[in-house]
Every structure is written in C-alpha cells, then in structure tokens.
C-alpha cells in the first residue's frame, strides 16, 4: 500500500478527497464526523495486521494493540510509532475530549481517553473504522 506523499496531500482539494474516499470516510476524516457505534467494519475484527489511515495509507495502529472495550468503535491502547498521530483539544458537543488525527494527512480518526484501569498503557484510542484500512499483509512485528 503506497503512502500518499506530503506534496500530493497539500495539493488535494476537498473534491479530490471526495473522489478518493467513500461518503462515510470523507465525513469522518475530512469533516470530523463519526460513524454510529457498533456499525464499523473493524469494531469486532481480530485479524492480524496493520491499521492504516484510509486517507493517506500511513500506518497508525498494530493489531496487537487492539482490544475490545465495548465502546462501539475499534479500540487500541497504543499507536504503532511515536508521531503517527497528533492530538488536539476538542471542545465540540459540550464535552472536553482529545481528538486524534493522522499526523501525515491531518484526517480525523477519533478520540483518545485516559482509561488507566482498562489498559496497561492507560490509554484507549477510540477510532472510527471508516478512517482505517486493515492491511492484513503487513504483520509489523508479528
């Protein structure tokens, strides 16, 4: 899977993104939307591989970091590498949360929560399936 280069990403218009992505993925990645809980393709997936940004194909999460949290979206306790995602303060919908975006293309992925009683890392990355592609051919460190 080829990662989009930064020059291409910066040159892309919203129309280009609409042609590259399906409607739900565009809504999530480019408009900070979300999919309905428990409807995403990867919510219950246990296949090994690397989860990549659906917008630019950058590796984001290893399947070994995935766990079932019951929140309705795929959950991970760590990113695949430092710098893979950026975090931003999100004050939308009357809440204070930490938004997670792809460092490479800036696409909205979901949110990260401090769940130190649930995971060893103390984190739960709650990520929209529509923002991800599972690359089952890439086994990372497996």
């Amino acid at each position: 899977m080829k990662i989009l280069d930064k020059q291409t990403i910066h040159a892309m218009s919203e129309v280009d993104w609409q042609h590259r992505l399906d409607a739900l993925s565009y809504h999530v990645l480019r408009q900070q939307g979300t999919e309905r809980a428990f409807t995403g393709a990867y919510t219950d997936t246990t296949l090994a591989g690397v989860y990549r940004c659906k917008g630019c194909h950058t590796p984001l999460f290893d399947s070994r970091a995935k766990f079932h949290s019951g929140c309705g979206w795929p959950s991970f306790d760590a990113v695949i590498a430092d710098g893979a995602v950026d975090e931003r303060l999100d004050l939308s919908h009357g809440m204070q949360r930490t938004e997670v975006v792809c460092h490479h293309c800036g696409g909205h992925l979901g949110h990260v929560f401090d769940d130190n009683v649930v995971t060893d890392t103390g984190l739960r990355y709650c990520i929209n399936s529509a923002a991800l592609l599972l690359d089952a051919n890439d086994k990372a460190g497996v």
Side-chain angles (χ1 to χ4, degrees):
M1 226 176 267
K2 186 176 185 221
I3 299 170
L4 280 184
D5 62 80
K6 285 280 193 179
Q7 184 177 357
T8 301
I9 290 169
H10 290 298
M12 289 178 69
S13 68
E14 288 309 305
V15 172
D16 294 329
W17 283 111
Q18 288 173 331
H19 288 296
R20 182 173 177 79
L21 301 166
D22 61 83
L24 179 58
S25 295
Y26 177 80
H27 175 64
V28 170
L29 285 162
R30 307 302 303 166
Q31 298 177 316
Q32 290 71 39
T34 192
E35 62 201 11
R36 286 191 341 251
F38 303 102
T39 64
Y42 302 126
T43 303
D44 296 319
T45 299
T46 58
L47 294 172
V50 170
Y51 288 87
R52 296 174 176 268
C53 174
K54 193 166 189 177
C56 67
H57 298 171
T58 296
L60 300 172
F61 301 96
D62 187 297
S63 62
R64 291 172 298 175
K66 189 173 185 291
F67 67 101
H68 186 71
S69 70
C71 72
W73 292 272
S75 297
F76 303 88
D77 68 355
V79 295
I80 199 163
D82 287 342
V85 301
D86 294 329
E87 298 179 4
R88 302 177 181 160
L89 179 62
D90 178 0
L91 298 174
S92 64
H93 307 288
M95 296 180 272
Q96 182 174 332
R97 302 177 290 175
T98 303
E99 178 187 17
V100 178
V101 299
C102 174
H103 176 75
H104 194 69
C105 72
H108 170 77
L109 304 170
H111 294 88
V112 62
F113 301 95
D114 181 8
D115 281 350
N116 52 356
V117 296
V118 177
T119 69
D120 291 337
T121 65
L123 300 173
R124 174 173 47 96
Y125 289 87
C126 189
I127 306 298
N128 289 280
S129 290
L132 299 172
L133 283 173
L134 175 58
D135 184 354
N137 294 318
D138 187 343
K139 302 296 189 205
V142 177

